[in-house]
Amino acid sequence: MKATDLDLRRVFSFSPKGGTIQFMGHRALIIDALAMGLLRKELIDNLGTFSARNILTRMGYAHGWATADNLDKEYPELLQDGQCGPTLHMLQGVVNVAKCEMTFEPSFRMSICWQDSYEADQHLLHEGIAHNPVCWTLAGYVSGYCSRMLKQEVYCLETQCSATGSAVCLSETRTREDWGEKIEEHLPFFRSDTINSMLHEVTEKLVNTEKHLKMQRILLDRDLGCCGLAVKSKVMRKALDLAKRIAKVESSVVITGESGVGKERIARIIHSESSRALRPFVAINCSAVTETLLESEFFGHARGAFTGANRDRIGLFEAANGGTLFLDEVGEISPGMQAKLLRVLQEKEIRRVGENSSRPVDVRIISATNRDLGNEVSAGRFREDLYYRLCIFELVVPALRERQEDILLLARCFLDKSTQKIGKEIIGFQPEVTDRLIQYEWPGNVRQLENTIEHAVVLCQGKRIGLDDLPKAVRSAQGGGIVANAIRKIDDLEREQILAAIKLLDGDKTEAAKQLGISLSSLYQKLKRYQTLPL
Ligand SMILES: [Zn+2]
């Protein structure tokens, strides 16, 4: 019998009951080409081209190997007839083998011309024109079939494919030795560990990203716990509430407020509460960069665009792609840069300095200013059209003196932060210090308060910050009687909490300290102090 004698009646048998079909004695399936095409598309979309090619090549390889193996069992005399492989491939409906030339001496080589590849058709249908050959299951099939037939490693590579616009698909098949180095880059597609190692790599990356995000979250929470979220005042709570609501929409925001009120922290809250939270948050202080540098800082530059541009560099817009770009001191941008910024916001694409083509960017802009942008517009220093682009929402962060209720809470947080950083054990403030902190105007706002506490912690030699530890400007502020009561209240609250915890735990001070998150020694110190306070 010859390869040409193989026909459908010989290779297929149908169970009289229906439900099963045999192809050369082994169960086979008839699957719609479109369904296979959809599976292929899903693999590409979900795993990427590399992994999809790997899976489909291996599936084709298994198919080819099994076909040769079955042929060896059913018609052993036909296995060495090189034309059997192409014939069976055609009988399976995969492709039309228009031509197949093969030599065995000096080594095995086969050139195939395919027409009507179902795989190229499906690729064109779902993915459009391809840039590289895509008949991965076909090449896998030939590789598997020939490897089984010759009992050595044989690889088929497609050199031309109708999915790229050619009339037909062409492939070359050789043994591994014969291919030499050329085959190396294609071997990963035939290996089973490729997917595993890729998945492993992806999993590792995900775990790292998760760790990184958790760390960022902790840092942010710690930061915000001190400086933003742990607020008592109504005005600040209102501002935070607005920030969280603005986070849910994509509109641009201008955050206004005096220097040091924490505008960037608010911007970070908006970012971290938005759908862009997992993408980058990039911040720039526009006043800190000269106009000439600002353009390349924003948009990046091509190598050689100007003196000193030794290599291509991406700008902040590209770095923030998919995420949020925070423009601090946006009121300081020159008219020239204002025009360029406006164009980017309108067209949603940037052009690197020294390049002719544009690149799309998707960035949410949050700006901040301590100027009154409305006034700047009236005075002709800020473009009105840019103002309306940037300022869909305005969020005002109140000055620290407008939210006195928050001062001690913040001071306490900064004290914890500084003592930890510097490694001192300072348990609080002397009453006259808390008076001063509340009375003081804080022109530098939260930032000034933070610096003041750090300054005091460095100087402090006792267990409590004294007046002498404060910077002179703060020290000279006037105190007041109401404040002493406020402090007393806070101390009372703390005492109540600690005593309640000890009572609840049947006097177990070690456990109480653990649950309260303080050290045992500081628990004892506090208890000692309470004995001197009136109950
Ligand atoms: Zn092809």
Side-chain angles (χ1 to χ4, degrees):
M1 193 165 98
K2 298 196 300 283
T4 42
D5 296 331
L6 284 173
D7 66 23
L8 285 174
R9 279 159 302 177
R10 273 185 196 273
V11 293
F12 276 110
S13 56
F14 301 87
S15 147
K17 288 187 296 186
T20 58
I21 302 169
Q22 311 266 317
F23 185 85
M24 289 194 306
H26 286 258
R27 186 163 181 180
L29 309 170
I30 294 177
I31 295 178
D32 191 274
L34 185 70
M36 278 301 291
L38 281 171
L39 174 66
R40 193 173 185 282
K41 176 181 158 47
E42 300 243 323
L43 288 173
I44 294 172
D45 290 352
N46 289 311
L47 300 174
T49 309
F50 185 93
S51 297
R53 181 177 166 189
N54 179 224
I55 292 172
L56 292 169
T57 303
R58 289 186 52 76
M59 176 192 148
Y61 191 96
H63 187 198
W65 182 283
T67 302
D69 202 49
N70 295 340
L71 183 70
D72 196 16
K73 284 170 193 147
E74 292 283 307
Y75 308 104
E77 73 280 9
L78 286 184
L79 185 63
Q80 296 309 320
D81 180 340
Q83 293 303 328
C84 271
T87 307
L88 292 169
H89 216 183
M90 286 202 282
L91 288 175
Q92 288 159 345
V94 176
V95 70
N96 176 21
V97 182
K99 208 161 126 191
C100 178
E101 290 171 348
M102 168 174 347
T103 55
F104 286 89
E105 292 300 330
S107 57
F108 175 77
R109 281 191 181 191
M110 183 162 70
S111 306
I112 310 175
C113 172
W114 285 313
Q115 277 177 345
D116 303 322
S117 152
Y118 94 94
E119 202 167 15
D121 284 354
Q122 289 299 322
H123 190 94
L124 283 168
L125 183 67
H126 298 292
E127 307 281 329
I129 283 277
H131 300 294
N132 295 302
V134 296
C135 296
W136 304 323
T137 59
L138 269 65
Y141 178 96
V142 176
S143 308
Y145 185 97
C146 294
S147 295
R148 172 64 180 80
M149 174 175 88
L150 298 173
K151 294 199 165 80
Q152 60 172 314
E153 280 182 65
V154 179
Y155 294 102
C156 167
L157 295 183
E158 196 181 19
T159 53
Q160 177 187 305
C161 182
S162 58
T164 64
S166 304
V168 294
C169 300
L170 300 176
S171 73
E172 288 296 325
T173 305
R174 299 179 193 179
T175 62
R176 182 174 180 171
E177 293 75 52
D178 203 13
W179 275 117
E181 275 181 13
K182 251 180 157 177
I183 195 67
E184 291 297 323
E185 60 175 307
H186 299 278
L187 290 180
F189 298 111
F190 290 90
R191 287 191 186 130
S192 61
D193 60 351
T194 311
I195 281 280
N196 269 340
S197 62
M198 276 197 45
L199 284 179
H200 184 71
E201 197 182 317
V202 169
T203 310
E204 219 165 61
K205 273 188 187 156
L206 279 176
V207 168
N208 282 339
T209 310
E210 204 186 341
K211 269 189 204 158
H212 177 72
L213 284 173
K214 265 190 194 154
M215 203 57 208
Q216 269 196 331
R217 190 75 235 182
I218 290 168
L219 289 176
L220 187 73
D221 282 349
R222 207 181 62 187
D223 218 20
L224 296 174
C226 284
C227 316
L229 290 182
V231 295
K232 283 170 93 181
S233 66
K234 245 188 199 159
V235 276
M236 195 59 196
R237 276 217 300 266
K238 238 169 116 181
L240 283 172
D241 190 48
L242 182 61
K244 285 181 184 172
R245 275 184 290 145
I246 289 174
K248 301 303 173 205
V249 293
E250 281 283 299
S251 322
S252 55
V253 194
V254 172
I255 303 171
T256 56
E258 289 179 12
S259 211
V261 287
K263 296 189 284 287
E264 181 168 341
R265 288 190 179 107
I266 300 289
R268 283 184 188 274
I269 294 174
I270 296 175
H271 173 74
S272 70
E273 297 276 332
S274 77
S275 59
R276 295 172 176 262
L278 296 182
R279 307 307 304 269
F281 175 91
V282 176
I284 180 176
N285 184 333
C286 301
S287 71
V289 187
T290 62
E291 190 190 345
T292 35
L293 274 181
L294 194 58
E295 186 175 2
S296 111
E297 199 67 32
F298 271 171
F299 311 130
H301 61 246
R303 188 178 161 190
F306 47 83
T307 321
N310 299 326
R311 55 193 175 86
D312 288 345
R313 183 170 171 230
I314 69 161
L316 298 175
F317 270 90
E318 282 180 82
N321 206 4
T324 305
L325 181 58
F326 176 63
L327 307 177
D328 201 2
E329 311 270 12
V330 75
E332 311 302 315
I333 295 181
S334 70
M337 269 312 293
Q338 288 178 25
K340 282 173 187 160
L341 187 58
L342 178 68
R343 203 160 52 236
V344 171
L345 299 182
Q346 282 168 339
E347 286 159 19
K348 297 193 188 333
E349 51 183 32
I350 57 105
R351 189 173 292 186
R352 291 187 189 173
V353 178
E355 272 189 2
N356 294 322
S357 55
S358 299
R359 298 158 188 267
V361 284
D362 165 32
V363 166
R364 181 188 194 176
I365 304 283
I366 302 180
S367 342
T369 178
N370 48 23
R371 295 195 187 196
D372 183 331
L373 273 192
N375 280 348
E376 295 295 298
V377 171
S378 313
R381 285 189 292 267
F382 203 84
R383 292 181 69 115
E384 193 176 11
D385 41 10
L386 180 59
Y387 173 73
Y388 287 119
R389 279 263 166 195
L390 292 176
C391 194
I392 308 287
F393 286 104
E394 185 181 359
L395 200 157
V396 185
V397 187
L400 189 54
R401 66 184 163 280
E402 290 163 27
R403 47 185 185 113
Q404 282 185 329
E405 305 100 297
D406 295 338
I407 294 177
L408 289 186
L409 205 63
L410 288 165
R412 186 78 228 180
C413 286
F414 291 139
L415 179 70
D416 289 345
K417 203 169 151 188
S418 287
T419 46
Q420 258 180 37
K421 188 171 135 194
I422 294 164
K424 277 191 176 176
E425 215 182 308
I426 297 170
I427 55 170
F429 305 99
Q430 287 172 6
E432 59 271 29
V433 170
T434 42
D435 280 5
R436 295 290 152 99
L437 295 181
I438 291 177
Q439 289 299 312
Y440 187 62
E441 285 281 294
W442 298 110
N445 289 294
V446 181
R447 193 185 300 140
Q448 190 191 4
L449 176 62
E450 184 169 12
N451 293 343
T452 297
I453 304 297
E454 188 166 340
H455 176 276
V457 168
V458 171
L459 293 189
C460 182
Q461 288 180 318
K463 289 283 171 202
R464 285 170 178 271
I465 304 273
L467 265 187
D468 288 344
D469 302 324
L470 298 180
K472 200 175 161 209
V474 184
R475 201 162 59 217
S476 56
Q478 296 302 304
I482 315 161
V483 180
N485 282 335
I487 311 308
R488 176 62 51 82
K489 273 187 190 160
I490 290 179
D491 276 346
D492 286 349
L493 214 68
E494 191 189 49
R495 185 183 54 181
E496 267 171 42
Q497 225 174 26
I498 290 178
L499 294 178
I502 294 173
K503 197 174 167 194
L504 210 69
L505 295 164
D506 295 319
D508 186 347
K509 295 190 184 69
T510 316
E511 186 57 27
K514 213 163 114 192
Q515 300 233 351
L516 291 163
I518 55 176
S519 69
L520 189 60
S521 65
S522 82
L523 181 77
Y524 274 111
Q525 268 167 9
K526 283 175 197 290
L527 288 175
K528 203 173 151 195
R529 186 155 49 87
Y530 296 154
Q531 282 165 6
T532 66
L533 284 173
L535 274 166

